[in-house]
Amino acid sequence: MASSPNRLAALCLSSLLLTWFLRVAAEETSSSPKIGQGYRLISIKDAPDGALVGLLQVKQKNNIYGPDISLLRFYVKHETENCLRVHITDSKNQRWEVPYNLLPREQPPALKQNIVWSRKKNLISVSEEYSFSGSELVLSYTSDPFSFAVKRKSNGDTLFDSNSNEFNTLVFKDQYLEISTKLPSDASLYGLGENTQPHGIKLYPNDPYTLYTTDVSAINLNTDLYGAHPVYMDLRNEGGKPHAHGVLLLNSNGMDVFYRGTSLTYKIIGGVLDFYFFAGPTPLNVVDQYTSLIGRPAPMPYWAFGFHQCRWGYHNLSVVEDVVENYKKAKIPLDVIWNDDDHMDGHKDFTLNPINYPRPKLLDFLDRIHSIGMKYIVIIDPGIAVNSSYGVYQRGMANDVFIKYEGEPFLAQVWPGAVYFPDFLNPKTVSWWVDEIRRFHELVPVDGLWIDMNEASNFCSGKCTIPKGKVCPSGTGPGWICCLDCENITSTRWDDPPYKINASGVQAPIGFKTIATSAVHYNGVLEYDAHSIYGFSQAIATHKGLQGLQGKRPFILSRSSYVGSGKYAAHWTGDNKGTWEDLRYSISTMLNFGIFGVPMVGSDICGFYPAPTEELCNRWIEVGAFYPFSRDHANYYSPRQELYQWESVAESARNALGMRYKLLPYLYTLNYEAHISGAPIARPLFFSFPTYTECYGLSTQFLLGSSLMISPVLEQGKTEVKALFPPGTWYSLFDLTQTIVSKDGSYVTLDAPLHVVNVHLYQNTILPMQQGGMISNVARMTPFRLIVTFPAGATEGEAKGNLFLDDDELPEMRLGNGYSTYVDFHATVKERTVKVWSEVQEGKFALDKGWVIDTINVLGLNRNGALPKIEIDGEPSVGISNVQVSTTQHKYLYGPGDGDKILMVGLKGLNIPVGKNFVVTWKMGS
């Protein structure tokens, strides 16, 4: 569902009217007033666990943003060879941190264990280093004023340095923490979300980066949106040698981060400074190290990579049935049909509308779609309707599961009217939520859950009561107008903190249209501290609930997210608009979430609201067909925009989704790689080409995996696209004979008529594909095809690829359970011999399924690639009558143009079992 349109319009208008003001304000805010003189290190010692522990004393107290915390504990530990942790907190009193049970990680020693200090006289102005053998990261510190730096051991590069006269030294107060780092001007930074970045994926100097989960439409630029991810990747290229590292500040409190090009400053309204530095040195290494800490991305069921259709406004079941039938008639693939809250009884969670979605008819519909492999997903919002006849509410009250304000459940308003919010930090709430999911699944056997409005969103602000003498909501007019009787809450420092973050892009009060920040969670935890982990905690509880059903792999889509959310849920980018700008922005947001460890991500195809043009919807499905999560979704007030509504869009959908469904085995293998190493499914080009600086800011193209490049049309009226091709040979996936040879990296203008999206495969790759189909379970059982790419005309070369197959209903995605197979594919061309072979691990599953390789295409062979004889597993193929051999000449779209005949060799009818090692060889003609 959506943010309320009136609120969106108001915020958009505010943004437009106040652009100049906010820019000035941002500049003024970013140039901080001088706050004190920092801290001095007064004692330091080695801890038994190999860590370094110090005591910091404030140098000069002041009351700007509140009193200083006098003594801080400074704790440093090499957690792995490539991960260094720096943790700074109050030395005497425990402070709020992201709960260790939600995000499991090592805990620093308890504070009371570290207060026996030996003061060392020689600490004044001393600079020391701390490292251990095998670690790539070295920490150095200066005693007075205290600062620290993190360096890369291999090249001496300084990755983080808090010592500078240009900004404040360390500031640590109860409700205001500040720390900065110097940066080289040529560093490329990525991350710090969630926000819509108009300048592309690279962080842009002086743009505001505020982190505080907020229900504000994604059309608002440079604004704190639904998720909070205080992590960035820094990519540098020094003398042609690229190095990437990552920096996580694990803190859930609201914060502003100011990036000025040569420095970065954090201003945080609570918690602790808990930094993790990841050494890289490649972008993939950084994400691997990061997700090793925060949790590997969740395994997705195979069908999740199919196409999804949703709309807020499918008023009754017959409309949903018509949508499924119309996709079938239009021959457009469809795996999953969704309901927004139209299926609910009065917008209440875990209910069915008995008139519009009668249970017997819904169950019959689900039997029919389940029988052909389709799936069904519905929405759940966190707000539970205050209704004494509503069983979910009754059981929630009986178990005392709701967030409190002044000892009573905090009252808010969302779609059903008056609601209470479950407190997912409370173990009893999690048990209750799991039980409600079980009860609902018995009512309706859904295949996944969509958790929305979980920032948390509230149509009202402040302390509210249910009005007497009137119905709220009235049932007429917009459902998002606050109709409770409310009064502002500004009496506490939690509701009105001394430092105002740039919330909603307009310095809105932090309790605006959400839970009051002085409300209380389990064990006295304040909403002020836990606000941005609300959606994360709900995702964990929902995952636990789904995992308990029938032992199947959960699928959860969440709007709000935090560090670690990718372990449990997919994400869509929220309420976007049907504009060309929003189409472009979707790529940067998608790529950022890959860095955040949430690789299953996509935007509402064709835009959530208002009405997209026919041309835009054509171009959007050509991009959206290659989002990791591919779903068309629209607003209640928008015209219908299913892909079959326009014949031209249907044709583009058949082309683009047709290719997606052939690529499903590749996408699913990328899902496996994400699950074991964090590797994003959709990646910026610099992940594969880090030495090629031209692609560092590229935000209009992207890769799937390491070598499949999407170069879409993103502008109105264009029938060609200027695409960047990093050095090497690229082959068009829609026409394998079309070749681009980019010697040193080149921009190439490609034809792109309305129904065409350009997709290219890089050299040295083996891409597994299948034949496609209308539903993923059908496409999954078709024969395989391997596309092998060598550099054009290479006399020597090698290519690699892989394939993961499993029973995708099982909760775990791994080898060794008897229900999975992993295959490494290899190919070489050397001394006029071409060899293609496989190395299979645990082949029984694939053999039992009967999967076979029917076709192998080898691209880029020189003109002597003709093959007088082929051997399969050492035996001549002459007697295998079904094997057809073909040679086709490549066409250079860009490159040498010297008339060389570069050939593609095709072998068809091979019938090679996927689950068995094979070798195919041939000698090229002389």
Side-chain angles (χ1 to χ4, degrees), residues 19 70 117 148 246 256 360 395 500 542 589 671 711 727 788-789 840:
T19 297
S70 298
W117 299 97
F148 72 90
D256 289 330
R395 291 184 289 272
K500 309 296 188 276
T542 306
T589 306
N671 175 33
S711 306
V788 182
T789 60
V840 179

Side-chain angles (χ1 to χ4, degrees), residues 161-175:
D161 185 358
S162 69
N163 179 24
S164 174
N165 294 325
E166 296 176 16
F167 39 72
N168 285 315
T169 54
L170 174 65
V171 180
F172 204 117
K173 299 164 185 284
D174 190 30
Q175 289 183 268

